Amino acid sequence: MKRLLFLAFFSLVFLSGLDAADHTNSDSLIQSSFRLLSSKSFADKATAINSIAESGSSHAVLVLSSILEGDLYYHKKNKNMVLVTETTPRHYEITDPLTEELVSTKSKKELRKKYKKVGINNKLRGLLNEKLAALTIYSKDKSTRLRSTRKLLKNLNPSTVELLRDAAPRETDPQVKELMQVCIAVSDARSKDPEIQLGAINELAGSLYPEVRVLLEELKTAYTDSVAADPRLLPAVDSALRATSLKVSFYKQVENIFFGLSLGSVLLLAAVGLAITFGVMGVINMAHGEMLMLGAYTTFVVQQLMPNSIEYSLFVAIPAAFIVTGLAGIAIERGIIRYLYGRPLETLLATFGLSLVLQQLVRSIFSPLNRSVITPQWMSGSFEFNPALSLTYNRMYIVVFALMVLFGLLWLLKKTSFGLQMRAVTQNRNMAKAMGIRTGWVDALTFGLGSGIAGIGGVALSQLTNVGPNLGQAYIVDSFMVVVFGGVGNLWGTFFGAMILGITNKFMEPMTGAVFAKILVLIFIILFIQRYPRGMFALKGRAAES
Amino acid sequence: MKFRNWKIQAILVVLGMLLLPQLGYSADKIKVGVLHSLSGTMAISETTLKDTVLMMVDEQNEAGGLLGRELEAVVVDPASDWPLFAEKMRELIEVHKVDVVFGCWTSVSRKSVLPVVEELNGLLFYPVQYEGEESSKNVFYTGAAPNQQAIPAVDYLMNEVGAQRWVLAGTDYVYPRTTNKILEAYLKQKGVADEDIMINYTPFGHSDWQTIVSDIKAFGSAGKKTAVVSTINGDANVPFYKELGNQGLSAEDIPVVAFSVGEEELSGIDTAPLVGHLAAWNYFMSAESEENDKFIEAWHTFIEDEDRVTNDPMEATYIGFKMWAAAVEKAGTTEVDAVRPAMYGIEVPNLTGGTAVMNTNHHLSKPVLIGEIQDDGQFEIVWSTDGEVKGDAWTDWLPESSLIVANWTDPINCGNFNTETKKCSGQNY
Amino acid sequence: MLKYKPFIFRLLETDRGSKYFVAILLALMVLVPVCNLAVPESSAFHMPVYGVTLIGKYLTYALLAISLDLVWGYLGILSLGHGAFFGLGGYAMGMYLMRQIGDRGVYGHPVLPDFMVFLDYKELPWFWYGFDQFWFAALMVVLVPGLLAFVFGWLAFRSRVTGVYLSIITQALTYALMLAFFRNNFGFGGNNGLTDFKDILGFDLRSDGTRIALFVCSALAVMLGYFACRFIVQSRLGSLVMAIRDSEGRVRALGYRDEYYKLFVFVVAAMLAGVAGALYVPQVGIINPGEFSPINSIEMVIWVAMGGRGTLYGAALGAVVVNFAKTYFTAVAPEVWLFILGGLFVGVTLFLPRGIVGAIQKIRGMLGASRNTGLPGMAAKK
């Protein structure tokens, strides 16, 4: 109890930013544990971590979390512990973890030579997380408290339950409070007293935490086997489980639909550029995949240019990719495609050659290795609706982004004069020319637009998959399938095509496995085209015949 | 008439071009063939090995060559096209008359060149971990066999991490299939129940992992400690790990141990969400030894890039090259028939501080290390075997192959000797 | 002068290119074996085994290209899935060669191929029955691709799928086959495919004699395939087929059931591709699902376009030229060969719109040579 109050006290002090500058003997406790931290044995390190956590020092949280983050180093010779932070790329500031005084600044090479990181393994990581969770249960930040409680639920032991029993009544946030009560109930459900057990089980009914489900399953088998158990317990467990599993299977379906939509959005982003260059202009554009690739590489370059503001890099990358690939598209159109109008099959040949050249170009410039594109913080992780349903942020953003691109494009085609000219040229080139439209110019811009959109798709893909020379090849076949399935020349067709293929794929995958699902989807496309020879949204009238 | 002359001339020109590569042949140099894909899907991994061989050739030349002769590398590009591997192998041996070939990455490329290298009695060093079940007279396997990677990794997870439930996830091709079969047999023998093993295969370059990761999450929330053994190949790894990170599966909850993810693969990934996941190899760049420091420095100088990493197949190439050079010195010639027996028992310091030995089954003895991914893309070595593990060409865990042994010295002198029937099967030469 | 000319001469007489083509094939059939077997190794004219298998491979590609040209150049169907038929023919032959290994596999199993032993097959899957007989395998080489083409074509042509839609679903076809064959539990060896062949019809595949025999067979197959296609093209059926290519609607309006003619030609082309695949496998020594990859099929289209579509021999020429360029540049300039190859494709499309053959004809036209070799009925606007 005394320890708890102390913990509460120092957390408040520490987190409110007031530096408890006095070097109490708790700091010297930490100091003495440092020697063990530089040991090679993980068992020694565990001992050190335990004693730091129990030192009660205000620096414990900082030290433990810096071990976790991999920022704590020791001098190879004198074994002094230091905190290392990267200030600018390849330059590091070295500070003392207890006094927080600057010791020196070092380059990457010097750092590697003189200092060594305190290495940890998963066991230690688990231990650190557990200790940190207990230390931060009174944190001022609500999300920290929530995270800590969630961590504690995973690994309940008598001392942490004790901690939570104290914290729960004082908790003001309902969400955290509820979670704390779940923790307590989970512990109570194992109690010896059937009354307490019964109450806890009823409280847990319908709770979606996997830990709760595991517990209930466990209790169920225990009660089914034993005759000594209280007769009221088994039905209570049963009904609690039923309530839970019903909800879980419902959320599973919701999750599946989301997976389908997000796969559909990826397909849409990959294919929508092709819907312009191939669908509207009739160029069998085999270099489309390489436009995706260029967009992804643009993201990489943008991130290299602004290493300190990765969070915003995507907002720069999207227009940059549009411009880069758009210009590349215009260059391709003016340099090659314009000589090939009326010979669509020859465009296949030329653009295929071009795709080989672009791939090798990227290989020569950026090396054949994949490049690492960093996912900004706001796009990582997942949004937890409830413990049974969490949707990943990057997928959600991509769904939204795909829709934005689609609607933006529709607006451009339907509502602007450029869109009007573009449609005029593709429908009847000669007539458009006669009306004074500069058809060559419109062609170049249209191809540039399609390529630019592909570049934007590439930015999105860079957040999901490898950025390497083979990126384009992985998507080109799928893109053609989507466009043709939806109906050439129709953006809505591309949209529905992508979504239907995505959802079909995701609903078949659990039943048939990923490979077979894909084969079935392909057969489905073949049969569909056989039934509807012009895709889902066939163009009607005279335009369809040309 | 005039036209026909022109036609004949054209044919002669074409034939002449075919023969052209032969003219560049010079007798006094020792030729080292390099058969790694520089384009196509495998260029990602294989280009590095080509550079490694070139570096080793340079080093050897600076040290005075071999047998007083200079070394010359002959580089060709099989372009990730498996039949082309066989064709290029024939070209290297027949046309360029190379003395040794370093090459191949995928199993299928090795299987493709195997008949050629055996027919022409060439010498191939294969530097990648693979599924075993093979021992050819003309091939030295310097990568890990399953017992040098998969089995120790599972032992580690079982004993040190306490895993009780297992997900075996792999790309659908021979290496994962064989490895998973071996592991399944091994786990069952250790008393793991059927329902505690989940096996999943995905196509090459699979990029949408949402469903599978969500399944793993569900499988792993059954209360028992769960571990994933991943034999997922190359390109599919990045989206897999990204999805793992985003769906919140951390290494403490469900550790993933991978057999195909090394430093180089990590250099293309944002490693922050992967910290703590594991890999099993015979070498990590973070290994502390003098040889390793020297190797890394030489590599950085050669490639002129301080940020390039080193990895296990590079070490395997390094060991293979050093061994071949030592065997050539020992034999006093580059003749394959003399070099091959000279290889057996040859010792070369490996980069992790021990010694690698070439065994008579054409596989190495090497230590096995387990590393955890750090946020800087390096591995922290968390476990290693006590000594070197001898590579086993034919696994003991599958009924058919447990009967077979490989030994290329007398009296067996065969790559697949059946201990029951006392016969050698499948030998071409 | 003979009143009645033999059938083959009639096929050739209208076309000068054909005569050269056949002459070159005959020359190869004689020269290559002689250069390999009779000329001593020290001589500059000796042809190494490497060269024999290489040219043999080119010849199988040439046959494949001819069959593709039949559907593309004359029928007007751009098949982006021709590799499917090639691969299936190859697999049929590969299965025969696998069965020929018998108990000489590494596990020494009398019936099962090695990959089945370690994937725990207890007995041979039903679709492997019969492949120990050469006649059966040979039948399957043409039957399986033919049947697939028949079913696929019947579905597609009947419902009048045309143009890019047809192209893309042929691509879907080969893509689906690739994924299926990649699956290990499909029973065809997965990614590794079929390899480590030992002998064919009892002859050792590694002996020079067998190689030469295979080479001559390939050359012969190209010639026969060429004659078959020529025959189709110059028959009444051929005129009809070209009429379909140029204006399908009108042919239909005249009362022809165009889908049957299309189907016939499509099936014949698929069978020829199957034969090409069957000859390819024993010469390169491996067949794996990579042959089904969509990119491969696109490359085939490029061979045809490069050589000159709608001439048959042009397609063969294109196949040889592109593949020779590939072999040559991957050895001479491994780092930049894709630039060269890609640039070549772009250049040819821009500057040689009718391929190499078209360019030669143009030059000859300018030199005043006879013009009777023009593309038969090729409408200029397409």
Side-chain angles (χ1 to χ4, degrees):
Chain A
M1 197 62 216
K2 205 165 133 197
R3 202 182 108 226
L4 276 174
L5 282 176
F6 192 80
L7 275 177
F9 166 74
F10 94 66
S11 303
L12 277 172
V13 170
F14 175 73
L15 289 159
S16 56
L18 292 171
D19 195 296
D22 57 328
H23 292 256
T24 54
N25 59 343
S26 59
D27 272 359
S28 63
L29 242 166
I30 294 188
Q31 195 63 262
S32 63
S33 318
F34 276 169
R35 202 132 285 270
L36 278 178
L37 271 185
S38 59
S39 151
K40 269 210 161 152
S41 135
F42 288 113
D44 285 350
K45 289 183 194 173
T47 321
I49 289 168
N50 274 322
S51 56
I52 293 174
E54 272 143 39
S55 69
S57 156
S58 55
H59 292 107
V61 174
L62 178 68
V63 172
L64 292 183
S65 56
S66 62
I67 300 177
L68 195 62
E69 303 285 322
D71 293 336
L72 198 69
Y73 283 64
Y74 61 86
H75 197 277
K76 280 184 180 169
K77 294 261 164 54
N78 63 21
K79 308 276 178 197
N80 275 344
M81 286 291 155
V82 290
L83 259 180
V84 176
T85 34
E86 192 170 12
T87 43
T88 52
R90 290 158 186 282
H91 284 277
Y92 299 87
E93 235 169 42
I94 292 176
T95 48
D96 187 292
L98 297 181
T99 60
E100 288 170 43
E101 277 162 15
L102 187 70
V103 179
S104 60
T105 52
K106 291 256 183 296
S107 76
K108 190 170 184 178
K109 215 172 182 177
E110 292 166 329
L111 184 74
R112 211 189 289 160
K113 216 169 215 170
K114 286 228 169 98
Y115 290 94
K116 186 154 168 46
K117 188 191 286 182
V118 177
I120 51 174
N121 63 6
N122 280 320
K123 236 182 206 168
L124 292 186
R125 210 167 280 120
L127 180 69
L128 282 168
N129 270 320
E130 194 189 317
K131 294 291 169 202
L132 276 171
L135 289 176
T136 53
I137 196 85
Y138 288 103
S139 154
K140 267 200 167 172
D141 178 29
K142 177 205 148 192
S143 61
T144 310
R145 291 202 304 276
L146 195 64
R147 232 182 4 249
S148 298
T149 320
R150 188 75 187 80
K151 284 240 164 72
L152 290 179
L153 174 61
K154 272 185 193 152
N155 209 347
L156 283 174
N157 58 40
S159 74
T160 51
V161 173
E162 203 60 30
L163 184 69
L164 286 166
R165 274 188 211 282
D166 282 319
R170 264 178 270 166
E171 181 58 54
T172 48
D173 183 83
Q175 204 187 349
V176 182
K177 192 165 189 151
E178 191 219 312
L179 185 56
M180 286 179 166
Q181 266 148 4
V182 169
C183 292
I184 296 167
V186 165
S187 150
D188 284 348
R190 292 176 199 277
S191 136
K192 293 272 181 306
D193 182 350
E195 289 303 324
I196 298 180
Q197 265 186 303
L198 208 57
I201 290 168
N202 287 334
E203 198 183 327
L204 290 176
S207 170
L208 292 168
Y209 293 100
E211 286 83 1
V212 174
R213 272 181 282 154
V214 171
L215 172 85
L216 291 176
E217 293 280 358
E218 215 174 85
L219 292 177
K220 189 179 169 185
T221 39
Y223 296 150
T224 326
D225 293 344
S226 99
V227 260
D230 192 302
R232 290 169 299 166
L233 284 174
L234 189 56
V237 170
D238 262 338
S239 73
L241 260 181
R242 250 199 316 279
T244 311
S245 58
L246 208 68
K247 275 193 194 168
V248 169
S249 58
F250 169 74
Y251 288 122
K252 188 84 203 157
Q253 290 304 314
V254 176
E255 192 185 35
N256 233 342
I257 292 173
F258 173 73
F259 287 168
L261 285 178
S262 85
L263 178 61
S265 306
V266 173
L267 288 175
L268 178 63
L269 281 169
V272 74
L274 193 68
I276 306 251
T277 52
F278 171 57
V280 176
M281 298 182 77
V283 176
I284 303 181
N285 184 10
M286 297 307 293
H288 169 72
E290 278 57 43
M291 295 293 128
L292 293 171
M293 175 187 79
L294 281 187
Y297 271 98
T298 310
T299 318
F300 168 71
V301 172
V302 165
Q303 289 197 345
Q304 293 300 299
L305 293 179
M306 43 190 291
N308 293 323
S309 34
I310 294 293
E311 297 298 303
Y312 310 106
S313 60
L314 290 188
F315 298 106
V316 181
I318 290 169
F322 184 80
I323 292 167
V324 169
T325 50
L327 287 178
I330 290 174
I332 292 167
E333 203 277 343
R334 287 291 89 184
I336 298 169
I337 309 277
R338 73 161 154 159
Y339 302 107
L340 302 174
Y341 285 120
R343 296 190 289 154
L345 298 176
E346 266 88 341
T347 58
L348 171 113
L349 182 65
T351 50
F352 185 74
L354 201 65
S355 80
L356 295 183
V357 171
L358 285 172
Q359 274 174 42
Q360 195 61 25
L361 193 70
V362 162
R363 243 179 231 124
S364 311
I365 297 175
F366 293 99
S367 97
L369 301 177
N370 284 333
R371 299 282 93 178
S372 152
V373 171
I374 302 164
T375 307
Q377 206 55 46
W378 51 270
M379 265 187 98
S380 1
S382 51
F383 179 75
E384 202 174 290
F385 282 100
N386 61 47
L389 178 70
S390 42
L391 305 180
T392 50
Y393 280 120
N394 63 346
R395 300 275 175 179
M396 282 198 276
Y397 284 118
I398 278 171
V399 173
V400 174
F401 184 61
L403 291 177
M404 275 163 53
V405 170
L406 178 77
F407 286 115
L409 207 54
L410 277 171
W411 173 80
L412 192 71
L413 289 186
K414 297 272 156 78
K415 301 281 177 200
T416 62
S417 71
F418 168 64
L420 188 69
Q421 291 186 359
M422 198 176 120
R423 284 180 292 145
V425 170
T426 50
Q427 275 170 20
N428 192 333
R429 177 172 303 270
N430 289 330
M431 186 62 84
K433 217 175 199 165
M435 305 296 279
I437 297 173
R438 292 169 64 193
T439 53
W441 184 234
V442 172
D443 282 332
L445 282 185
T446 311
F447 199 85
L449 175 69
S451 305
I453 295 286
I456 291 183
V459 177
L461 289 180
S462 75
Q463 293 301 313
L464 295 174
T465 184
N466 300 282
V467 178
N470 301 327
L471 173 83
Q473 287 199 338
Y475 285 93
I476 183 77
V477 175
D478 286 339
S479 302
F480 270 103
M481 296 294 154
V482 167
V483 174
V484 164
F485 175 65
V488 174
N490 190 315
L491 276 184
W492 283 109
T494 307
F495 171 72
F496 283 109
M499 290 302 159
I500 288 175
L501 293 185
I503 292 177
T504 318
N505 208 326
K506 281 293 140 186
F507 269 85
M508 278 198 294
E509 200 180 310
M511 284 178 273
T512 59
V515 192
F516 211 58
K518 196 149 191 203
I519 296 174
L520 288 177
V521 166
L522 288 169
I523 294 175
F524 167 69
I525 293 177
I526 294 177
L527 294 178
F528 186 89
I529 294 293
Q530 195 270 318
R531 185 78 190 76
Y532 300 93
R534 299 216 158 256
M536 215 166 16
F537 285 70
L539 287 179
K540 293 182 184 70
R542 301 188 72 173
E545 279 303 310
S546 60
Chain B
M1 200 59 212
K2 222 170 71 187
F3 186 68
R4 192 182 296 156
N5 274 338
W6 177 83
K7 206 79 185 178
I8 290 168
Q9 276 171 2
I11 294 168
L12 284 179
V13 167
V14 170
L15 285 175
M17 281 171 94
L18 268 177
L19 298 170
L20 197 65
Q22 273 185 312
L23 300 177
Y25 172 66
S26 54
D28 55 331
K29 282 183 179 171
I30 296 178
K31 295 210 166 189
V32 177
V34 185
L35 187 66
H36 284 300
S37 301
L38 310 178
S39 55
T41 46
M42 289 314 295
I44 282 183
S45 308
E46 293 193 56
T47 313
T48 312
L49 295 190
K50 175 213 70 175
D51 289 330
T52 312
V53 179
L54 293 185
M55 177 179 90
M56 300 299 295
V57 167
D58 278 4
E59 256 178 32
Q60 194 69 40
N61 279 336
E62 270 164 36
L66 266 178
L67 308 174
R69 288 156 69 188
E70 203 184 329
L71 269 62
E72 183 190 347
V74 182
V75 179
V76 290
D77 178 13
S80 313
D81 177 353
W82 319 132
L84 202 55
F85 267 90
E87 188 185 312
K88 289 290 168 193
M89 183 56 119
R90 192 175 283 280
E91 183 184 333
L92 281 174
I93 300 178
E94 263 192 356
V95 180
H96 297 287
K97 312 243 186 278
V98 298
D99 298 288
V100 62
V101 176
F102 292 85
C104 298
W105 181 289
T106 57
S107 280
V108 54
S109 65
R110 191 190 66 250
K111 291 272 185 212
S112 173
V113 303
L114 204 58
V116 177
V117 71
E118 285 181 352
E119 177 196 336
L120 302 175
N121 196 24
L123 195 56
L124 170 70
F125 281 82
Y126 176 67
V128 183
Q129 94 283 7
Y130 82 121
E131 67 278 2
E133 309 294 295
E134 188 182 300
S135 177
S136 163
K137 186 180 181 177
N138 301 87
V139 182
F140 285 97
Y141 307 82
T142 56
N147 73 317
Q148 289 173 306
Q149 202 183 13
I151 300 273
V154 166
D155 279 341
Y156 171 79
L157 287 174
M158 205 182 275
N159 303 331
E160 310 284 321
V161 180
Q164 293 168 302
R165 248 167 114 81
W166 302 84
V167 180
L168 308 181
T171 304
D172 191 2
Y173 73 112
V174 160
Y175 169 65
R177 286 262 174 192
T178 316
T179 309
N180 287 348
K181 266 188 61 138
I182 293 171
L183 290 182
E184 200 186 345
Y186 183 74
L187 287 172
K188 283 191 178 152
Q189 202 182 354
K190 293 272 174 180
V192 178
D194 260 341
E195 71 264 19
D196 284 337
I197 302 177
M198 165 179 157
I199 300 182
N200 181 289
Y201 291 105
T202 37
F204 279 95
H206 190 63
S207 61
D208 194 278
W209 289 91
Q210 302 178 88
T211 312
I212 291 160
V213 168
S214 148
D215 286 350
I216 291 176
K217 200 172 168 183
F219 185 81
S221 58
K224 288 181 184 168
K225 180 75 184 177
T226 305
V228 180
V229 178
S230 152
T231 37
I232 295 164
N233 167 278
D235 269 5
N237 274 305
V238 172
F240 174 61
Y241 280 114
K242 280 201 169 159
E243 194 65 36
L244 274 183
N246 283 331
Q247 291 203 19
L249 285 186
S250 72
E252 303 145 49
D253 305 332
I254 302 184
V256 177
V257 60
F259 302 148
S260 318
V261 175
E263 287 84 351
E264 189 146 288
E265 285 75 18
L266 289 184
S267 72
I269 317 183
D270 172 18
T271 46
L274 308 188
V275 171
H277 287 303
L278 305 148
W281 289 106
N282 305 118
Y283 166 83
F284 287 110
M285 189 181 180
S286 59
E288 283 176 47
S289 80
E290 227 167 88
E291 281 83 14
N292 192 26
D293 291 344
K294 261 201 311 219
F295 181 70
I296 293 172
E297 200 175 319
W299 173 242
H300 284 166
T301 321
F302 178 82
I303 208 79
E304 293 170 359
D305 183 353
E306 286 274 310
D307 287 335
R308 284 295 289 273
V309 292
T310 57
N311 64 6
D312 179 274
M314 286 174 72
E315 191 219 17
T317 303
Y318 166 90
I319 293 175
F321 191 94
K322 290 274 181 197
M323 281 188 165
W324 172 74
V328 168
E329 293 280 2
K330 189 166 141 194
T333 168
T334 58
E335 285 297 315
V336 172
D337 288 328
V339 173
R340 193 173 56 80
M343 285 289 294
Y344 306 135
I346 277 213
E347 294 189 2
V348 160
N350 63 28
L351 296 179
T352 49
T355 325
V357 187
M358 179 51 78
N359 298 302
T360 53
N361 64 357
H362 284 206
H363 288 66
L364 286 176
S365 290
K366 302 205 279 189
V368 186
L369 314 173
I370 310 275
E372 277 187 13
I373 299 174
Q374 305 292 302
D375 56 0
D376 55 357
Q378 288 291 324
F379 288 88
E380 169 86 22
I381 299 170
V382 293
W383 185 83
S384 70
T385 48
D386 289 333
E388 278 83 30
V389 179
K390 186 184 165 190
D392 189 7
W394 302 92
T395 182
D396 299 335
W397 305 101
L398 297 179
E400 295 83 11
S401 71
S402 62
L403 302 175
I404 300 177
V405 293
N407 189 335
W408 285 103
T409 51
D410 288 331
I412 293 178
N413 205 353
C414 155
N416 32 16
F417 178 77
N418 191 313
T419 48
E420 238 172 35
T421 60
K422 308 280 173 211
K423 264 201 240 160
C424 261
S425 179
Q427 292 307 304
N428 299 317
Y429 290 91
Chain C
M1 271 295 188
L2 284 167
K3 271 245 169 77
Y4 175 80
K5 288 181 189 167
F7 164 71
I8 287 184
F9 287 101
R10 267 188 297 150
L11 285 180
L12 296 181
E13 70 179 353
T14 53
D15 190 348
R16 200 166 190 164
S18 285
K19 287 181 196 153
Y20 287 121
F21 180 65
V22 172
I24 291 172
L25 274 180
L26 283 171
L28 274 179
M29 256 190 271
V30 175
L31 275 179
V32 169
V34 168
C35 286
N36 175 246
L37 296 175
V39 176
E41 227 170 284
S42 53
S43 159
F45 288 100
H46 175 75
M47 168 78 70
V49 176
Y50 166 69
V52 177
T53 51
L54 201 63
I55 301 180
K57 189 179 92 171
Y58 293 166
L59 285 176
T60 61
Y61 283 156
L63 180 57
L64 177 62
I66 288 173
S67 77
L68 180 60
D69 195 21
L70 187 65
V71 286
W72 186 27
Y74 293 91
L75 194 53
I77 296 173
L78 175 61
S79 166
L80 292 179
H82 218 59
F85 308 123
F86 180 78
L88 285 175
Y91 264 96
M93 180 53 99
M95 285 160 83
Y96 163 73
L97 295 172
M98 261 346 236
R99 295 294 303 271
Q100 288 296 295
I101 297 172
D103 61 1
R104 287 168 295 171
V106 288
Y107 299 102
H109 195 287
V111 181
L112 295 184
D114 286 339
F115 74 88
M116 291 195 190
V117 176
F118 79 61
L119 285 178
D120 246 1
Y121 279 69
K122 291 292 170 250
E123 52 183 41
L124 206 63
W126 61 267
F127 44 81
W128 278 75
Y129 289 142
F131 277 97
D132 49 340
Q133 301 295 321
F134 184 77
W135 66 266
F136 183 79
L139 196 64
M140 287 301 136
V141 161
V142 288
L143 224 53
V144 174
L147 192 69
L148 179 71
F150 181 79
V151 173
F152 184 84
W154 191 72
L155 286 172
F157 301 147
R158 219 176 36 120
S159 58
R160 295 182 187 170
V161 181
T162 51
V164 284
Y165 290 92
L166 191 57
S167 301
I168 297 299
I169 59 171
T170 52
Q171 188 173 49
L173 175 76
T174 193
Y175 190 40
L177 277 171
M178 177 181 84
L179 291 173
F181 276 80
F182 261 128
R183 280 164 56 92
N184 267 285
N185 36 18
F186 202 56
F188 292 100
N191 176 45
N192 275 13
L194 309 174
T195 177
D196 206 20
F197 308 132
K198 307 245 187 277
D199 43 36
I200 179 168
L201 288 169
F203 297 105
D204 187 358
L205 267 173
R206 283 154 178 140
S207 75
D208 286 1
T210 319
R211 284 208 177 97
I212 289 293
L214 278 169
F215 174 84
V216 174
C217 281
S218 307
L220 214 57
V222 175
M223 204 183 300
L224 292 178
Y226 182 73
F227 283 139
C229 293
R230 266 258 94 84
F231 176 68
I232 292 176
V233 168
Q234 291 184 1
S235 66
R236 261 198 51 156
L237 174 76
S239 325
L240 201 60
V241 161
M242 280 181 274
I244 292 172
R245 174 193 67 193
D246 293 335
S247 177
E248 193 169 353
R250 284 185 207 168
V251 174
R252 218 180 284 143
L254 285 171
Y256 289 101
R257 297 294 298 271
D258 60 322
E259 58 263 36
Y260 294 137
Y261 302 101
K262 284 165 90 174
L263 196 54
F264 175 76
V265 174
F266 193 57
V267 169
V268 168
M271 287 174 164
L272 281 177
V275 172
L279 286 164
Y280 168 83
V281 169
Q283 298 192 66
V284 301
I286 183 170
I287 175 84
N288 75 78
E291 301 300 337
F292 291 112
S293 85
I295 297 294
N296 261 18
S297 293
I298 292 171
E299 259 192 63
M300 292 166 199
V301 171
I302 284 177
W303 306 340
V304 177
M306 185 97 173
R309 155 166 100 104
T311 58
L312 294 178
Y313 57 85
L317 181 69
V320 174
V321 167
V322 173
N323 282 291
F324 177 74
K326 210 168 154 180
T327 306
Y328 188 72
F329 291 127
T330 46
V332 177
E335 312 272 351
V336 295
W337 72 274
L338 275 177
F339 286 130
I340 301 173
L341 201 66
L344 205 61
F345 293 162
V346 177
V348 165
T349 348
L350 287 182
F351 304 114
L352 308 175
R354 275 158 61 204
I356 300 171
V357 169
I360 293 173
Q361 281 168 349
K362 205 169 169 190
I363 294 169
R364 289 187 54 215
M366 283 192 286
L367 295 177
S370 70
R371 283 167 186 272
N372 62 359
T373 53
L375 305 187
M378 184 70 127
K381 70 173 171 103
K382 276 260 162 174

